[in-house]
Amino acid sequence: MRRPRIAYITTCLLFFFLLINTPQSVASEAVHEEQAAEAKAFRPGDMIISHIVDAYDWHIADIGHTHITIPLPVILYDEGKWHFFMSGKFEHGHAAYHGFEIAKEGALKGKIVRYAADGTAIRPWDFSVTKNVFAVFISSILLILIFLSVAKAYKKTRKHAPKGFQSVVEPVILFVRDEIALATIGKKNYERFTPYLLTVFFFIFFNNLLGLIPIFPAGANITGNIAVTGVLALFTFGMTLISGNKNYWAHIFNTPGVPWWLKLPLPLMPIIELVGVFTKPFVLMIRLFANITAGHIIILGFISLIFVFGQTSLVAGYGMSVLSVTMSIFMNFLELLVAFIQAYVFTLLSSIFLGMAVEEHEHEEHHEAHH
Amino acid sequence: MELVNPGLGLIFWMIVVFSAVLLILKKFVWPSILQSLKDREQHIEDALHQADVTREEMKKLKLDNEALLKEAKEEREAIMNEARKIREKMLDEARLKANAEADRIVESARVQIENERKAALIDIKNQIAEISIEVAEKILREKLQTPKDHEQYIQRVIDSKQLN
């Protein structure tokens, strides 16, 4: 999403240029000017949100009045019919196509909808390859290629010291294996889950880093999208359910070590534990989404300051830009750290949840038997 | 609202893509990497263990060597002592034998000397007797030159005989 920032700077500089150079025309048409100013007035909130959320086309830059965008395929299933067309047909959200258009307000804002006769928005089954989907394709292909080459390197070096890029990845792989999987799941089961945890870690870490690069084909806010983090959390959730052993389910429905009246007649503990089963992946989803999005919002906020100040006076805008750029650079470094930390946290929590699912409670039962 | 409203398509594609990534990495990447890491760790551990074992063996070998050396030294000492004892014994025996032999020789020499001395004495006695007789004969011959002297002397001898 940092890509649009450059686009935005370009756009806004041009915007300022136009403002300075066309005072006569603005003055001559008072009413039109008012409307235009309102339309053109810089709204940091809109700008920030539009950079963070998903889109049906990939906006790269604006040069003058020309938008440079990559149109992406729209795939819809509505009332038993499939619709395939490129997102360019929407003309950046200004036009409708086959009755479908991008909602401008309401709960479905930004999504493709079809307005029924009574004006209610109907959402079709939307399998469009959006900007984030496209970005996930690219980053996943890159990720697979990188790791295939690393795996090849391992076959080559065998028992010798790692070389080149392999030695960059190796400490991280060891970190995930030893400090996350082995530490939280235990010696007996950790090998079963290490491949999944490694995949999750590198997927998140890689996409976090790509999200910090402002230039196409990176720059989409992948890990700061709730659908992406939701799917990742769903995988952890699914794995937890599949691998949950007898003790895990016993712990949920018949929690050991609590008084019986917490379970009968009102099953308080089972309800709490069952809710916990769902809150865990929910927390995973929210945490990653919120952290990455927050970081991006802060950086965009600093950039917005330049234009907010620039609207009051040009000098103030230039003055503010020094501070804003400094703060943005600082934030970007912080985000590098966050990219790693959030990948670590997601993997660690997944690992802990999986560890709980396969944990053996022998000592606890033993303890119970004594009472 | 737009921010927390997940796109259906994105969820669908994300499931597809992430499953693909997971499967591909799980099948072609992680096993070989993790196995290699494990092998290498095992290799290093084995090498370290081997080094420890070797070191221990070297230590043992050194101890063994030292013990062997000590034993050899002791044995040498013992052999030397034995030899020394035997030599002394042999010397003593030789000395005793020599002494005895010497004594025997001296004794036999003494006996021989005694015999020689005795023989010499007898010889000397005989010679003295002969010389005495010769002297006596010569004296008598000188004194009894006349028959009268003979008679006188015979008379005297007879007289002395009679006196006895």
Side-chain angles (χ1 to χ4, degrees):
Chain A
M1 62 115 256
R2 222 50 36 84
R3 176 250 349 136
R5 198 172 61 206
I6 283 188
Y8 212 90
I9 294 168
T10 326
T11 323
C12 292
L13 284 177
L14 282 164
F15 172 61
F16 281 126
F17 203 66
L18 286 171
L19 266 189
I20 299 159
N21 284 291
T22 54
Q24 303 97 326
S25 62
V26 174
S28 60
E29 286 176 290
V31 181
H32 188 258
E33 186 258 349
E34 216 169 272
Q35 284 173 344
E38 207 170 289
K40 280 185 179 174
F42 180 70
R43 285 171 158 155
D46 290 353
M47 176 280 226
I48 289 171
I49 292 298
S50 76
H51 280 91
I52 286 171
V53 295
D54 205 358
Y56 287 98
D57 48 14
W58 198 322
H59 183 229
I60 291 172
D62 284 347
I63 296 171
H65 288 293
T66 329
H67 298 289
I68 300 178
T69 54
I70 298 175
L72 296 166
V74 174
I75 303 165
L76 302 173
Y77 181 77
D78 189 39
E79 291 179 328
K81 262 181 20 196
W82 288 95
H83 299 266
F84 300 94
F85 54 94
M86 295 305 278
S87 65
K89 295 281 197 299
F90 289 127
E91 288 166 19
H92 313 296
H94 300 301
Y97 185 78
H98 283 309
F100 298 109
E101 56 185 293
I102 298 170
K104 291 183 189 68
E105 358 246 52
L108 294 175
K109 189 182 173 208
K111 302 280 187 307
I112 290 180
V113 291
R114 180 170 57 82
Y115 287 105
D118 59 355
T120 51
I122 297 163
R123 198 173 171 187
W125 290 94
D126 184 354
F127 298 104
S128 304
V129 177
T130 58
K131 177 180 158 183
N132 278 341
V133 173
F134 193 55
V136 169
F137 285 168
I138 294 171
S139 72
S140 296
I141 289 168
L142 277 175
L143 193 70
I144 288 168
L145 289 179
I146 287 171
F147 276 96
L148 281 176
S149 83
V150 169
K152 216 169 167 188
Y154 269 98
K155 274 179 193 146
K156 218 184 264 175
T157 55
R158 283 262 139 222
K159 286 170 184 171
H160 301 282
K163 271 183 202 160
F165 191 69
Q166 190 192 354
S167 51
V168 179
V169 188
E170 183 167 316
V172 187
I173 295 176
L174 288 176
F175 175 74
V176 173
R177 191 193 66 179
D178 297 338
E179 304 301 323
I180 299 177
L182 182 60
T184 56
I185 300 174
K187 215 167 198 148
K188 204 177 145 201
N189 287 310
Y190 85 99
E191 280 181 334
R192 240 167 86 197
F193 300 111
T194 311
Y196 172 70
L197 294 172
L198 280 167
T199 310
V200 166
F201 181 88
F202 280 105
F203 186 87
I204 296 172
F205 185 47
F206 192 61
N207 282 315
N208 281 351
L209 288 181
L210 284 186
L212 290 175
I213 301 170
I215 309 151
F216 177 83
N221 182 19
I222 298 175
T223 41
N225 187 293
I226 200 154
V228 173
T229 60
V231 170
L232 290 172
L234 202 68
F235 270 85
T236 298
F237 180 60
M239 283 203 79
T240 319
L241 293 188
I242 291 168
S243 49
N245 61 12
K246 206 177 70 206
N247 289 313
Y248 174 71
W249 295 110
H251 195 89
I252 289 167
F253 293 112
N254 187 15
T255 319
V258 295
W260 63 269
W261 49 265
L262 279 176
K263 301 172 195 168
L264 278 170
L266 189 68
L268 260 179
M269 275 312 285
I271 289 171
I272 292 169
E273 288 283 345
L274 203 61
V275 168
V277 169
F278 293 99
T279 50
K280 279 168 193 161
F282 191 76
V283 162
L284 275 182
M285 170 178 83
I286 297 294
R287 186 190 303 272
L288 182 59
F289 156 74
N291 274 290
I292 302 303
T293 303
H296 288 188
I297 288 176
I298 292 170
I299 294 173
L300 286 167
F302 279 122
I303 299 300
S304 299
L305 278 181
I306 301 174
F307 305 105
V308 170
F309 277 80
Q311 274 184 325
T312 55
S313 111
L314 196 59
V315 182
Y318 279 123
M320 198 58 211
S321 69
V322 178
L323 187 68
S324 283
V325 168
T326 317
M327 288 311 286
S328 294
I329 291 169
F330 167 73
M331 276 310 297
N332 261 311
F333 278 109
L334 198 65
E335 284 295 286
L336 276 179
L337 194 65
V338 171
F340 182 85
I341 291 170
Q342 288 310 319
Y344 168 62
V345 169
F346 193 100
T347 316
L348 182 71
L349 287 175
S350 295
S351 183
I352 289 171
F353 298 156
L354 289 168
M356 284 159 95
V358 295
E359 200 182 358
E360 304 288 346
H361 285 284
E362 273 164 36
H363 58 283
E364 216 161 299
E365 276 165 17
H366 192 66
H367 185 71
E368 285 282 279
H370 272 288
H371 285 277
Chain B
M1 202 53 217
E2 205 182 343
L3 208 54
V4 288
N5 192 1
L8 262 179
L10 188 49
I11 292 175
F12 168 76
W13 288 111
M14 180 64 196
I15 289 173
V16 172
V17 172
F18 189 71
S19 304
V21 171
L22 190 58
L23 282 179
I24 291 171
L25 294 188
K26 221 171 181 172
K27 197 154 169 44
F28 299 109
V29 174
W30 302 128
S32 63
I33 290 181
L34 290 172
Q35 194 55 46
S36 297
L37 284 174
K38 217 172 174 185
D39 285 353
R40 196 202 298 158
E41 272 161 11
Q42 194 60 46
H43 181 67
I44 291 169
E45 202 171 296
D46 284 353
L48 287 174
H49 182 71
Q50 195 60 45
D52 272 351
V53 168
T54 312
R55 201 174 300 135
E56 209 59 35
E57 255 168 30
M58 285 292 285
K59 223 176 181 176
K60 222 174 119 198
L61 221 67
K62 213 173 147 194
L63 279 176
D64 280 2
N65 275 351
E66 267 168 14
L68 223 68
L69 214 69
K70 212 175 146 196
E71 213 172 276
K73 256 184 196 165
E74 272 168 7
E75 207 164 305
R76 197 191 62 172
E77 203 77 1
I79 289 169
M80 291 286 278
N81 274 345
E82 191 91 349
R84 206 172 289 137
K85 265 187 209 154
I86 289 170
R87 193 192 66 174
E88 256 156 37
K89 208 172 145 197
M90 275 168 85
L91 275 177
D92 279 355
E93 269 172 14
R95 204 177 289 133
L96 278 174
K97 234 181 190 171
N99 280 352
E101 186 69 19
D103 283 356
R104 202 179 56 82
I105 290 168
V106 169
E107 193 56 33
S108 81
R110 194 182 294 133
V111 169
Q112 211 167 338
I113 288 168
E114 190 65 19
N115 289 347
E116 294 279 320
R117 199 179 58 99
K118 276 179 184 165
L121 269 178
I122 291 164
D123 199 27
I124 288 169
K125 271 182 191 168
N126 287 345
Q127 274 188 29
I128 288 172
E130 262 172 47
I131 290 167
S132 305
I133 289 165
E134 228 170 275
V135 169
E137 199 185 283
K138 274 186 182 160
I139 293 168
L140 278 175
R141 206 163 280 174
E142 206 58 40
K143 273 192 176 172
L144 303 171
Q145 271 179 346
T146 63
K148 194 189 159 191
D149 290 335
H150 284 257
E151 279 174 22
Q152 275 181 326
Y153 183 63
I154 294 163
Q155 197 57 52
R156 213 175 15 215
V157 172
I158 293 164
D159 287 351
S160 73
K161 287 287 182 193
Q162 276 172 332
L163 276 170
N164 278 344

